[in-house]
Amino acid sequence: MLTLTVDNKDKLDDIIITEDTILNIKLDNCSEEINIDVMDNMCLEVFEIDDDTSNEINYNLRSNAQVIVNKLARDNSDVTTVNMSGENASIKYYSNMMNYRDNTYRFVVNHRANYTNSEVYNHCVNFADSEFKFLVDSNIDREAIECFSNQDNEIIDMGNGKNFISPNLIVDNDLINANHSAYIGKFKKDVIFYLQSRGLTEIDCDLLLIKGFLLGKMNLDEKLLEEYTNFIITNFK
Amino acid sequence: MLKIENLSVKIDDRDILKNFEISINDGEVHAIMGPNGTGKSTLSKVIMGSRDYDILSGKIIFNDEDISSLEVDERSRKGIFLSMQSPISIEGVTNSEFLRTALNARTNEPIGLFDFIKTMETSMKELDMKNDIVHKAINEGSSGGERKKNEVLQIKVLKPSFIILDEVDSGLDVDSLRVVCENINKYREENPKTSILIITHYPRILEYIKPDYVHMMVDGKIVKTGDYNFAFEIDKSGYTELVNE
């Protein structure tokens, strides 16, 4: 398995995945265009930590390509586009945000080939009174049959933010399976009561729930879990 | 240990507890039985500090300190534990991380990983629980019985001095009820000053954890008190007949 690391210290070239790869992306305070082309039958796992970015990230998945993206970010206004151009391509995309300023995160997945599979999980904790938007489009072309597309979008509001989710399924085909969901709200009162009844302070509860919400779905090994957790703790205000 | 004086509580415009009084000494086991909707679970949540209710009057004294104005977590760290009727599941938060955080919240020095794992393993074995539960999210995908065992696991790890068991017997099969009760009795033997308040509809649990006092609660207050045998009298006669006596 090849391991690549990408950061914005140098000029970013297009990335072509020609063997099974782990890609570590660390970007801060930048606005770049990144193109990632995953060739036939290749597996790619991405571990991405971004701080204050508004990048344009484009994935192209060819036949039987399999991609998992584990993204954690603070103040993110990226535009991510995933083109499923080859048959049987699949992607699991976990985007997890900590938000303090006005931001819009846009995600587009285009199913352009048969039997393609996308699972998109967008989670954000909005800490401030700022505005946060998830604009998520899943497009399934008329020619792409027997596709599966799932979107799960959630924003937890810790302050009095203005939050907005637009979870769109644009489907031009009957032979597909598609789901979408959107939730905006606070952590549930009975959950807070349960944790506090075991002696956890309000701050302990918030941190535990935020970590669970942002990292719970991703499959991180011990080292990465520590790195992602440290990012949350550092940015938890 | 715990003394409740003249406690009146309402939710929305409904009075739930009406001048409720009870006194529980160190090491005593009390049981409260009563019909549905009489305020038993409200009592347990109010002792724990839930802000869902309006306290109209009264005091809750714990170890000679008025804890009425304390927050939920402060009451917990003083030694009160509420084993909930329907323990919830919490996505993404593992039992291990949750319990370590809870343990560290009540000690000055963080517990070492080795000591923590050892405590957990011993307790889980005694409760006949699978080891992998520590890495799973709290109660996620767990049966009713597993959730109740998880509550007792938390008791064994956090070591409270006053335990409220709110319908711990509901949703438990006979074997699980025996395991749960044996573990609570073992905990009492190891911590003899621990007091327990059992809230139940059925006397079966009281055959395992024998109470010193059984109270019958109707319409927000205790109307009759007896010894262990009173639970079986309630079971035989029913609340209505005993109230009308």
Side-chain angles (χ1 to χ4, degrees), chain A residues 106 108-111 136-142 149 151 167-173 176 178 180:
Chain A
R106 184 167 172 77
V108 180
V109 57
N110 298 312
H111 289 259
V136 187
D137 292 349
S138 300
N139 300 308
I140 304 182
D141 290 358
R142 180 180 291 266
S149 183
Q151 291 181 23
N168 300 311
L169 290 175
I170 302 150
V171 178
D172 191 14
N173 195 320
I176 60 100
H180 60 163

Side-chain angles (χ1 to χ4, degrees), chain B residues 36 48 53 59 66 88 91 98 101 103 109-110 143 154 182-183 200 206 209-210 218 226 239:
Chain B
N36 292 324
M48 197 68 244
Y53 305 91
K59 277 182 190 172
D66 186 353
I88 54 169
E91 193 184 356
F98 159 55
T101 310
L103 260 179
E109 237 175 79
S143 66
Q154 292 169 23
E182 279 173 2
N183 274 273
T200 186
L206 308 181
I209 306 171
K210 201 171 171 183
V218 176
Y239 300 112

Side-chain angles (χ1 to χ4, degrees), chain A residues 40 60-65 83-90 112-116:
Chain A
D40 292 352
N60 184 38
L61 275 64
R62 297 173 191 260
S63 296
N64 298 307
N83 288 316
M84 316 278 282
S85 58
E87 283 194 354
N88 286 311
S90 76
R112 293 194 167 134
N114 298 337
Y115 319 118
T116 47

Side-chain angles (χ1 to χ4, degrees), chain B:
Chain B
M1 172 76 68
L2 183 87
K3 195 172 183 191
I4 298 178
E5 297 172 350
N6 194 31
L7 184 67
S8 294
V9 167
K10 71 169 187 173
I11 186 165
D12 300 325
D13 283 332
R14 205 155 52 94
D15 293 331
I16 309 285
L17 300 180
K18 298 168 186 171
N19 297 320
F20 185 92
E21 307 229 340
I22 195 169
S23 184
I24 301 173
N25 295 319
D26 286 1
E28 285 181 352
V29 177
H30 289 233
I32 293 182
M33 299 175 76
N36 292 324
T38 201
K40 302 186 298 298
S41 288
T42 297
L43 172 68
S44 68
K45 287 182 189 158
V46 168
I47 294 171
M48 197 68 244
S50 169
R51 298 290 172 209
D52 287 346
Y53 305 91
D54 295 326
I55 310 289
L56 303 173
S57 66
K59 277 182 190 172
I60 301 171
I61 314 285
F62 184 64
N63 289 335
D64 300 323
E65 180 189 355
D66 186 353
I67 60 164
S68 310
S69 61
L70 293 187
E71 293 298 327
V72 179
D73 57 311
E74 293 173 305
R75 295 181 195 208
S76 167
R77 291 196 298 274
K78 290 210 174 279
I80 299 175
F81 186 98
L82 168 59
S83 169
M84 306 212 184
Q85 189 178 334
S86 307
I88 54 169
S89 64
I90 305 178
E91 193 184 356
V93 180
T94 63
N95 285 296
S96 148
E97 194 171 21
F98 159 55
L99 273 174
R100 265 190 97 185
T101 310
L103 260 179
N104 288 338
R106 58 189 71 216
T107 53
N108 293 328
E109 237 175 79
I111 183 167
L113 187 60
F114 179 75
D115 290 339
F116 176 71
I117 290 170
K118 212 172 146 192
T119 306
M120 289 286 279
E121 277 179 356
T122 308
S123 300
M124 285 188 302
K125 197 175 170 191
E126 287 169 348
L127 278 160
D128 200 14
M129 294 171 88
K130 289 176 188 157
N131 271 352
D132 64 352
I133 197 170
V134 288
H135 304 299
K136 287 188 175 170
I138 301 167
N139 293 327
E140 209 167 55
S142 301
S143 66
E146 287 167 332
R147 289 176 188 224
K148 293 295 170 77
K149 282 186 179 180
N150 199 9
E151 297 287 280
V152 181
L153 173 68
Q154 292 169 23
I155 290 171
K156 289 161 83 77
V157 173
L158 299 177
K159 301 201 182 309
S161 56
F162 179 70
I163 301 166
I164 307 164
L165 300 172
D166 187 4
E167 294 193 24
V168 75
D169 46 347
S170 70
L172 279 182
D173 60 48
V174 283
D175 292 336
S176 297
L177 178 63
R178 185 179 44 76
V179 171
V180 160
C181 292
E182 279 173 2
N183 274 273
I184 291 168
N185 283 333
K186 185 168 182 280
Y187 182 81
R188 282 182 65 213
E189 279 169 32
E190 290 164 359
N191 304 277
K193 283 193 170 179
T194 305
S195 306
I196 298 181
L197 177 61
I198 300 171
I199 290 169
T200 186
H201 284 289
Y202 307 106
R204 193 176 57 165
I205 186 178
L206 308 181
E207 292 174 24
Y208 290 102
I209 306 171
K210 201 171 171 183
D212 301 296
Y213 299 95
V214 175
H215 310 281
M216 186 169 83
M217 184 173 171
V218 176
D219 195 23
K221 59 187 168 213
I222 288 171
V223 293
K224 271 189 181 176
T225 295
D227 62 10
Y228 167 68
N229 295 311
F230 184 47
F232 297 91
E233 201 182 323
I234 292 171
D235 194 46
K236 193 177 161 199
S237 307
Y239 300 112
T240 313
E241 191 180 318
L242 287 168
V243 169
N244 292 334
E245 269 180 12

